[in-house]
Amino acid sequence: MPDQPHFPPGQTLLIDADDTLWENNIYFERAIAAFISYVDHQEYTREQVREKLNEVERENVLAHGYGLVSFRRALVTCFERLSSAPVTPEKHERILSFAQSIADQEIDLLEGVAETLPQLAARHKLILVTKGNQEEQLDKLARSGIAHHFTGVEVPREKDPGAYRAVCQKYELAPHTTWMIGNSPRSDINPSLACGLHAVYIHHPNTWVLEHDTLDSAPAGQHLLEVASFGDLIRYF
């Protein structure tokens, strides 16, 4: 195996949460599969119903942000658009139950996270940077048992270059020693590279479809690493 680059202690690691530290999207996928089965549309295929839901989710994210509240709205709106009959109170409760199944999930840390975080925290500054509903994200972090490894927690509405610049300004971070680590090309990797940070892309097989994007190349003087799992970060940091 070729020699791996190793970065000295004192780096700042901005770390994503959902599908980077713990499982998240698989629970949404299960809820969506149950919703599509419940819809049981006679004209659209399951794939077409899913695309309709994706369209509604894109709209809802813009209007209401991320998280379960937005997802609940999307399920109800999608059902209304696909059904010729009104949504009865019974149907409404059934639809909401799909989203509730996600809220009821225990926090399931991804492989290597529990073992790797203490080692990273001993050598570097860790800041959690995860978008979504702030109350939901803080609750998940509290239930995860890993909050004490982070010196700061930021939950921006959207993770774009402006959000990363704001984090850097707030914590007085130097771009040449600051890294964004996450599983989303759209929210973690490309915007952090765009504002001068380094990035580490952690592959996850179930990244949300709305987070898919082509990975940008690292500009001159910046690093983009790709790893298979969170535990692989020890090779570099």
Side-chain angles (χ1 to χ4, degrees), residues 119-139:
Q119 299 179 62
L120 295 178
R123 296 191 289 269
H124 308 286
K125 180 177 184 177
L126 310 187
I127 300 174
L128 191 77
V129 182
T130 181
K131 69 183 181 183
N133 178 283
Q134 181 162 344
E135 182 178 347
E136 290 175 16
Q137 295 299 74
L138 293 180
D139 175 67

Side-chain angles (χ1 to χ4, degrees), residues 86-101:
V87 180
T88 64
E90 293 76 17
K91 289 180 178 178
H92 188 266
E93 285 302 310
R94 184 75 175 100
I95 294 167
L96 294 186
S97 73
F98 300 128
Q100 187 59 40
S101 70

Side-chain angles (χ1 to χ4, degrees), residues 72-152:
R72 290 187 187 102
R73 289 175 180 267
L75 292 181
V76 173
T77 300
C78 184
F79 190 90
E80 290 173 339
R81 292 184 184 180
L82 292 174
S83 176
S84 56
V87 180
T88 64
E90 293 76 17
K91 289 180 178 178
H92 188 266
E93 285 302 310
R94 184 75 175 100
I95 294 167
L96 294 186
S97 73
F98 300 128
Q100 187 59 40
S101 70
I102 301 170
D104 293 339
Q105 290 291 334
E106 296 295 326
I107 300 299
D108 182 15
L109 295 179
L110 288 166
E111 183 179 357
V113 169
E115 301 81 6
T116 304
L117 270 180
Q119 299 179 62
L120 295 178
R123 296 191 289 269
H124 308 286
K125 180 177 184 177
L126 310 187
I127 300 174
L128 191 77
V129 182
T130 181
K131 69 183 181 183
N133 178 283
Q134 181 162 344
E135 182 178 347
E136 290 175 16
Q137 295 299 74
L138 293 180
D139 175 67
K140 285 191 282 187
L141 179 61
R143 290 189 288 123
S144 72
I146 59 175
H148 59 286
H149 296 304
F150 296 93
T151 61

Side-chain angles (χ1 to χ4, degrees), residues 16-29:
D16 174 52
D18 293 337
D19 295 320
T20 296
L21 295 174
W22 51 68
E23 292 285 9
N24 181 66
N25 195 52
I26 58 170
Y27 306 127
F28 282 85
E29 292 296 333

